[in-house]
Amino acid sequence: MTEEKLSVGFIGLGIMGQHMAGHILAAGHPLNIYNRTRAKGDALVAKGATWCDSPGAVADASDITITIVGYPADVEQVYLGEDGIIAKARPGSVLIDMTTSSPALAGKIAQAALARGLSALDAPVSGGDVGAKAGKLAIMLGGDARAFERVLPVLELMGGNIALMGKAGAGQHTKMANQIAIASTMLAVAESISYARAAGLDPMQVLKVIGTGAASSFLLNGLGPKMVDEDFAPGFFVHHFVKDMSIALSEAERLGLDLPGLSLARSLYGKLVDDGFGEEGTQALYRAYNAIHAEAG
């Protein structure tokens, strides 16, 4: 099969998936799609994508099947269910799960795929909706090197920094490292803005100054201003981040690691979910500091 003729299936058309699938379609690949809410596929169908009625039907029609769904339980269902992707996929096809999920589950899926003559890669991404729109996501993969090379041209339509990190599960472990770094950085950004406000400074001006120095980061410069403006529209949902941190904490415990920064971030973000803010963006962590200040005042 030549790269030009590869048909691609895409399952999961959320905030990021819509853009990722759109890049594949725009590059001329036949695109088969499925989403639990069918209306989210309408725009892609209008541009030439083919709607399928189940994940298994997508896999049956595609040379490469890509998923980016919500939780590990969703991943397990769409891949390992009775009429799921592995049961219905074309022999020799490559399956790519781009959901942030469990490393152990990634290994389980890879073994089940191999038993049916398929290849499965775990390929979580980082970059949020901004990276998805621009086609510049960081994509970290685990799995077979030959399968990786085969699908790399399709991955390059969605990502700017793409790396095979090791065997099945290695992509998910790398994403856990990424989320751990983000968790403590988000705490630091929210605390920096809180301190600037309490000291009587203009927090936006502070961000402009420190954002060019050693404190500079994507989160400080990209999400810091949104915290200042109390713009909590989602680029990545709080409840999904809580899921990711919970996986990371579980893996850390298994590895014998104590990660206090991650534990604190998980606690504060969990309270946001409990308070009804799970559908907001991760910058909504600033709400927790606003609440602390209100209590102190």
Side-chain angles (χ1 to χ4, degrees):
M1 293 181 291
T2 63
E3 187 263 328
E4 292 80 6
K5 295 180 180 178
L6 289 174
S7 60
V8 179
F10 206 101
I11 298 164
L13 303 172
I15 290 175
M16 296 175 66
Q18 284 275 351
H19 300 295
M20 296 160 72
H23 293 313
I24 295 168
L25 183 62
H29 288 274
L31 183 70
N32 306 301
I33 61 172
Y34 172 79
N35 191 74
R36 285 184 296 188
T37 304
R38 180 165 181 163
K40 291 186 177 180
D42 289 348
L44 291 168
V45 170
K47 294 177 181 178
T50 300
W51 176 264
C52 298
D53 289 329
S54 69
V58 170
D60 181 56
S62 306
D63 301 312
I64 299 170
T65 298
I66 298 171
T67 56
I68 182 164
V69 295
Y71 289 81
D74 301 315
V75 174
E76 186 162 17
Q77 178 61 37
V78 298
Y79 277 93
L80 301 176
E82 184 176 347
D83 295 315
I85 292 169
I86 289 177
K88 298 296 184 180
R90 293 178 177 180
S93 62
V94 181
L95 316 177
I96 309 171
D97 181 32
M98 306 187 84
T99 315
T100 299
S101 183
S102 157
L105 179 56
K108 182 178 179 181
I109 289 170
Q111 287 298 315
L114 184 63
R116 286 210 60 243
L118 312 166
S119 298
L121 301 168
D122 50 290
V125 301
S126 181
D129 63 330
V130 174
K133 287 177 184 177
K136 297 296 182 183
L137 292 166
I139 307 176
M140 48 217 85
L141 293 100
D144 179 70
R146 287 175 295 180
F148 169 73
E149 292 296 335
R150 183 179 170 198
V151 302
L152 183 57
V154 173
L155 295 173
E156 288 174 336
L157 299 173
M158 300 177 283
N161 184 5
I162 303 166
L164 181 64
M165 305 303 295
K167 65 183 182 179
Q172 297 295 352
H173 279 302
T174 305
K175 182 61 183 289
M176 291 303 105
N178 181 83
Q179 301 305 73
I180 291 166
I182 288 173
S184 289
T185 303
M186 290 298 284
L187 291 172
V189 173
E191 291 184 0
S192 175
I193 294 169
S194 296
Y195 179 89
R197 276 203 161 128
L201 301 172
D202 177 347
M204 198 69 82
Q205 186 178 23
V206 170
L207 288 176
K208 288 179 180 178
V209 173
I210 70 174
T212 61
S216 175
S217 70
F218 169 80
L219 298 176
L220 182 89
N221 294 324
L223 295 184
K226 291 188 176 184
M227 289 185 185
V228 173
D229 290 339
E230 299 190 8
D231 172 8
F232 303 133
F236 185 66
F237 289 124
V238 164
H239 67 84
H240 281 161
F241 194 36
V242 169
K243 175 260 298 184
D244 296 352
M245 288 186 287
S246 298
I247 295 170
L249 281 168
S250 177
E251 288 296 315
E253 182 178 0
R254 186 180 65 80
L255 294 168
L257 296 175
D258 179 25
L259 303 178
L262 177 62
S263 296
L264 176 57
R266 169 63 180 80
S267 175
L268 291 174
Y269 273 107
K271 188 174 187 308
L272 286 179
V273 173
D274 293 341
D275 290 343
F277 301 117
E279 293 286 314
E280 294 189 338
T282 51
Q283 70 274 18
L285 178 65
Y286 190 61
R287 286 187 182 276
Y289 290 88
N290 278 345
I292 291 168
H293 293 156
E295 290 174 4

